[in-house]
Amino acid sequence: MNPALEIRDLSFGYRRGGEDLFGGLSHTFAAGAVTALTGASGRGKSTLLYMLGLMLTPTAGAVILDGKDVGAASDADRSRIRARQLGFVFQDAALDPTRTVLDSVLEPSLYAGIPRAVAECHARARLEDLGLSARADHRPGEISGGQAQRVAICRALVNDPVVVLADEPTGNLDRGNAEIVLSALRGATGQGRTVVIATHDPFVIAHTDHEVAL
Amino acid sequence: MTVRQLLREAIATVRTSRVPSALVALLTAVMCASTLATVGRTVSAEREIQARMDAAGSKVVVLRDAQNKALLPPAVVDAIAHLSVTDRAIGLTVPVDVVNGAIGPGSTPAPSWRVIGDISAVATLEHGRWPRPGEALVSEPARSQLGLTDGYGWVTSGTEDVAVVGTFTARAPFDTLACGVVIAATPSDVAASMHVVARTAADAQRVESLSISLINAPFAQDLAIESPVSLAQLQQQVGRDLGSVSRSLVLGVLGGGALLTAIVVLADVLVRRKDLGRRRALGATRATIVALVMVRTAIPALLGAGVGAAVGLYLANALNAQPGATFAASIVVLSTLAAISSSALPAVYAAHRDPVEVLRTP
């Protein structure tokens, strides 16, 4: 299976002339597998994840997605790639508290220009896959933390992305819910999808296929 | 993101962020209402002053044949009446007293004028028909004075009898005719004075100079001129001054309102930074964020402008001012545009916030 995501000679510093977090890091993220970005606090796990998610621009090196260097693409192009080819799961789910679960799940589809009827159909299918159909019309305040994180996974998968990026997705969950969320992320690797998780939790690392230690 | 989806998202945001939405609507309503009430009053006052100055003759040039040299024949009156800067022009003979021919000498007289040119330029027909050359219309006060019971009959000057075929009211600025009889002139009549109404006060000077050149008097003293030019210049100056006051008021009210709206939108953007950061992370472009913030401001601004227009017109009426539909519509559009444009900077600021900064959990 061809790798969808790769980094070459990657460097990043928050300030000009400041500490280089990665020192020319290169890695190919295996398709159809879950990779953990690990390391002590402050080593740049989340920074690397956001760079893979095209929200930060590397100071040197390349982020290659589907064979194209997209790390230094224009902001508009990166936004379009985020909407269509990447899925995000944030530590605190980051759901809009004023909107229903269904509206939250289909949100990336709107930015990808997918008609609402089609987006709604995809969103309902994702919710059904993760056993959340009954919660479609609930608001985030009416569901549990574990369910909210599964909703975030549905949202990450709604546009059928090639890469799913998760930042400490189980950081706020108990073991039971963490296992359900990790199982959902494992399920996301089907059809050759690449899943990358930034974590320092050994329990999460134990559920991944590869590890990039920073 | 399609326009429909953008509108749907903006409406949803308006409904969930009720306080900022209500503040934007309130500010736009206040902008609209206060502009209509204050500037509307000024515009109305300006219109009243202009009308009064028009009535005072700021647009009327009077030319008199001072030496009775027959300088104002019908052909000259007609030529001046057809100038592009002329609204109306007529010639009048020296007034002559007439009495009701049916009663005869000794009855109460009324003044009569022969009108050279289009008689409808000085009179509005009330009853009867327009007179043919040598026929007359009588005003209501003159009808009563002459004892013409139904407004028809004949009047006599002692040397000439004239049929009265209807009644009229005098048109401004020919109010002096309101107490008498107007007789449609025959081709042989020559005017003693000519009254030319310019299209605007600004045209008065041109009307005057063109009239003088068309009359072509042999000597300057042959023609006596009552010039409105000074009054017209005063009218234009008053108009400019009032216009300047109105523009300053509009700019002040709209500028102040726009600034307050910008502060409200900026505060809203700061409160919702996590929401906007999430949208950016999920694929919203900067243009989408800018459009979302501006459309989300435009919706309550439109509602506020509608309410403000209603309140402003009510207040303007209560202040005895009628700003007019065009002015009211312009203020609604300007207030809405001021509110929308004031959201541009906060929208651009929101679009350039780093999503990572707001999404990272310490």
Side-chain angles (χ1 to χ4, degrees), chain A residues 14 75 92 94 99 111 114, chain B residues 5 9 274 278-279 360:
Chain A
Y14 277 102
D75 185 76
D92 66 348
R99 311 294 287 275
Y111 306 131
I114 295 168
Chain B
Q5 287 168 341
E9 280 295 298
K274 192 152 189 175
R278 186 199 70 246
R279 289 176 188 273
R360 287 186 78 155

Side-chain angles (χ1 to χ4, degrees), chain A residues 35-76:
Chain A
T35 302
L37 300 178
T38 63
S41 187
R43 295 305 301 271
K45 301 186 294 293
S46 296
T47 300
L48 179 56
L49 197 79
Y50 287 119
M51 211 174 303
L52 296 175
L54 310 182
M55 282 185 270
L56 292 174
T57 307
T59 46
V63 176
I64 295 162
L65 182 69
D66 266 352
K68 290 179 193 161
D69 181 4
V70 293
S74 71
D75 185 76

Side-chain angles (χ1 to χ4, degrees), chain A residues 1 31-35 157 184-195 209:
Chain A
M1 204 170 281
V34 181
T35 302
L157 297 174
L185 285 170
R186 161 71 58 196
T189 57
Q191 299 169 329
R193 198 174 280 130
T194 302
V195 176
D209 304 308

Side-chain angles (χ1 to χ4, degrees), chain A residues 1 16 41 66-67 79 88 97 108 118 134 137 143-145 157-158 168 172 174 176 192 201 209:
Chain A
M1 204 170 281
R16 186 186 287 261
S41 187
D66 266 352
S79 296
F88 281 95
V118 178
D137 296 324
I143 59 177
S144 70
L157 297 174
V158 72
E168 304 277 11
N172 298 334
D174 57 43
D201 184 350
D209 304 308

Side-chain angles (χ1 to χ4, degrees), chain B residues 155-179:
Chain B
V155 292
T156 180
S157 62
T159 57
E160 185 186 19
D161 298 339
V162 178
V164 176
V165 297
T167 60
F168 77 98
T169 51
R171 287 179 63 186
F174 299 98
D175 301 322
T176 49
L177 305 178
C179 61

